[in-house]
Amino acid sequence: MSRIVFFNKPYGVLSQFTPEGKWRSLAEFISLKDVYVAGRLDADSEGLLILTDDGKLQARIADPKHKLEKTYWAQVEGEPQESDLERLRAGIKLSDFTAQPAKVRLIDEPAGLWQRDPPIRFRQAIPTRWLEIRIAEGKNRQVRRMTAAIGYPTLRLIRAAIGGVGLAGLSLGQLRVIEGSLKDLQGTFHE
């Protein structure tokens, strides 16, 4: 069995143990030794990050060929229509690759969502909407690039789940450690 760490990463924290520039590091939150990030999450994104002490498991979690679907909640500027979401569902061409078809739907603001520090920019005249986006890929800034490509920039991005593991029961900055395997991460995430 491998040690697996589930961490609810705050905004402004890098997916590494060394701080860099204005960004904080995981070392402020995780004192466990010999655990490594399995699939990065940008400093300006929040939510579920998985770490493990098992190199093979780490590679399998991060590798899209193992189909661990990642679920994101994206607060976007503007009000996308179904026709906009269909473009993401069909797979959208970005500058350097074509994103695989995504599962996308409009959602209400997730219940129990913590306040972001600092808050997103607020503009009285421009509404925002929340999207749930599920992808098996995980290229650099992919979700942000996908929403921008359909004309709706992402203001806030939260990874809500990886495989069958979600944020339920994890407060911002909190971690949970289990002994487990890839089987413990598979399955379908449900709110």
Side-chain angles (χ1 to χ4, degrees), residues 18-178:
T18 308
E20 206 171 281
K22 68 178 183 176
W23 304 118
R24 299 167 16 198
S25 78
L26 295 174
E28 288 185 36
F29 302 90
I30 301 172
S31 59
L32 300 170
K33 300 295 179 205
D34 301 321
V35 292
Y36 306 94
V37 175
R40 302 180 70 76
L41 192 56
D42 296 325
D44 58 352
S45 297
E46 308 161 70
L48 186 62
L49 191 63
I50 296 180
L51 300 90
T52 182
D53 60 357
D54 181 335
K56 286 182 182 175
L57 179 59
Q58 177 190 24
R60 292 190 78 179
I61 292 168
D63 192 333
K65 75 179 179 193
H66 295 291
K67 304 289 186 226
L68 266 181
E69 186 176 72
K70 292 148 189 87
T71 303
Y72 294 88
W73 295 327
Q75 184 179 17
V76 298
E77 188 175 85
E79 296 190 76
Q81 304 302 305
E82 278 299 313
S83 57
D84 300 310
L85 303 183
E86 280 302 323
R87 294 177 59 201
L88 299 179
R89 293 177 186 132
I92 191 159
K93 176 100 174 92
L94 301 173
S95 61
D96 54 341
F97 74 101
T98 299
Q100 293 176 2
K103 297 173 186 168
V104 185
R105 66 184 179 115
L106 290 167
I107 60 171
D108 292 330
E109 179 176 314
L113 191 61
W114 56 88
Q115 293 296 312
R116 196 185 88 168
D117 183 23
I120 64 161
R121 71 177 184 260
F122 175 75
R123 295 199 261 180
Q124 188 85 24
I126 301 176
T128 66
R129 284 300 310 260
W130 284 91
L131 302 176
E132 179 185 83
I133 302 173
R134 296 176 186 224
I135 58 174
E137 298 172 292
K139 303 205 188 278
N140 188 36
R141 302 187 73 75
Q142 180 174 340
V143 172
R144 290 177 188 281
R145 293 174 64 199
M146 288 167 60
T147 66
I150 63 167
Y152 299 92
T154 294
L155 301 172
R156 185 174 183 192
L157 185 63
I158 300 165
R159 184 160 55 202
I162 299 173
V165 177
L167 286 171
L170 273 182
S171 300
L172 188 63
Q174 184 181 22
L175 60 94
R176 179 171 55 245
V177 182
I178 68 164

